[in-house]
Amino acid sequence: MDYDTITSTLADLNALGLYTGVGDVYIAMMTKEDTRAEKPTYSTPVIACEAVSVGQTPTYAEGSQSASDRTIRKIKVLKGMDVKVEYPRMKADVRSMILGRKLDDNGGELVGDSMAPLCAVGTCATRDDGTRVMRWIFKCRASEGEITDNTAEEGSINYTIPTISLAGVPLSYETPGVNGEAVHLVQYVADTAHAGCKWTEETFFAAVVGPWSEVIV
């Protein structure tokens, strides 16, 4: 990459919208896991929930090597993305699907020791100029979040906000990066403010964006 061709001015920054909120959260279940030679496949994405807040925390692998009384390598590599979603409501069958659980004949969720299946999580951050930053976090497993119920004072209403956590790791499948290098993708980001970006909220969530078919535009 020729870094001298990249410019950033105050005018460029003023042309960008400011973050104001978050959209809905989408889930696509992995139907075939990836290998070094084969891409994964996913089910049709479904809306998981409305989002009160979405937090994404990167996780890293770090290493360093010293020789001849000096540090010759210090490396920090992204190895995953942890997602925490606060939501006001979620359908029982969707929640059970994400967590790998079953519903009984009365609609009750059977909570046991089953392992959650792999899935992809789609999120959408909004800006005040109508643009979006849309993300798919790949190969996630969900885990039970914290639920806290509070006593409401007389004459007041206190809402409870449940959470669900999802931990993503890199895909084994190698897709070529911008410079042709092998990439084990953790997250796909589409910024609709980027010149020439063809993604909209509708088309982005119509199908899981495949790292094997598209590179970030």
Side-chain angles (χ1 to χ4, degrees):
M1 178 180 292
D2 185 359
Y3 298 105
D4 293 333
T5 63
I6 298 176
T7 61
S8 181
T9 66
L10 286 177
D12 296 332
L13 297 179
N14 288 332
L16 296 174
L18 302 178
Y19 287 105
T20 61
V22 63
D24 303 325
V25 174
Y26 289 74
I27 293 289
M29 306 308 295
M30 182 181 282
T31 55
K32 186 181 77 173
E33 195 167 349
D34 57 304
T35 67
R36 287 294 178 126
E38 295 184 358
K39 65 185 180 183
T41 58
Y42 290 92
S43 64
T44 301
V46 298
I47 184 170
C49 59
E50 302 156 303
V52 175
S53 70
V54 176
Q56 294 180 214
T57 304
T59 58
Y60 292 93
E62 298 184 63
S64 63
Q65 177 65 56
S66 298
S68 300
D69 290 340
R70 63 189 178 92
T71 300
I72 59 174
R73 286 288 188 278
K74 191 171 183 65
I75 298 175
K76 189 173 185 177
V77 178
L78 182 68
K79 70 173 185 178
M81 190 73 66
D82 291 340
V83 185
K84 182 178 180 181
V85 179
E86 293 184 334
Y87 61 95
R89 50 197 174 187
M90 183 184 299
K91 289 181 62 178
D93 55 354
V94 173
R95 174 185 158 84
S96 297
M97 176 182 67
I98 296 171
L99 292 170
R101 295 173 180 168
K102 302 293 184 183
L103 297 179
D104 65 16
D105 295 337
N106 298 316
E109 182 180 316
L110 302 176
V111 180
D113 56 359
S114 58
M115 183 172 65
L118 291 167
C119 63
V121 182
T123 66
C124 178
T126 61
R127 294 192 182 106
D128 58 5
D129 62 352
T131 59
R132 306 279 192 272
V133 175
M134 297 174 292
R135 301 178 176 90
W136 275 113
I137 301 92
F138 297 104
K139 208 170 185 178
C140 292
R141 285 194 197 277
S143 58
E144 187 75 61
E146 180 181 356
I147 299 176
T148 302
D149 296 319
N150 299 317
T151 299
E153 295 181 9
E154 186 176 356
S156 66
I157 299 173
N158 290 335
Y159 288 105
T160 296
I161 304 176
T163 65
I164 192 165
S165 300
L166 303 107
V169 299
L171 288 171
S172 298
Y173 182 77
E174 293 183 351
T175 185
V178 176
N179 299 315
E181 75 281 10
V183 176
H184 297 110
L185 207 58
V186 171
Q187 179 179 225
Y188 183 100
V189 183
D191 188 344
T192 63
H194 189 283
C197 180
K198 63 178 179 290
W199 297 110
T200 65
E201 189 168 357
E202 289 74 21
T203 60
F204 186 80
F205 291 125
V208 178
V209 179
W212 48 90
S213 60
E214 297 285 351
V215 181
I216 296 175
V217 291

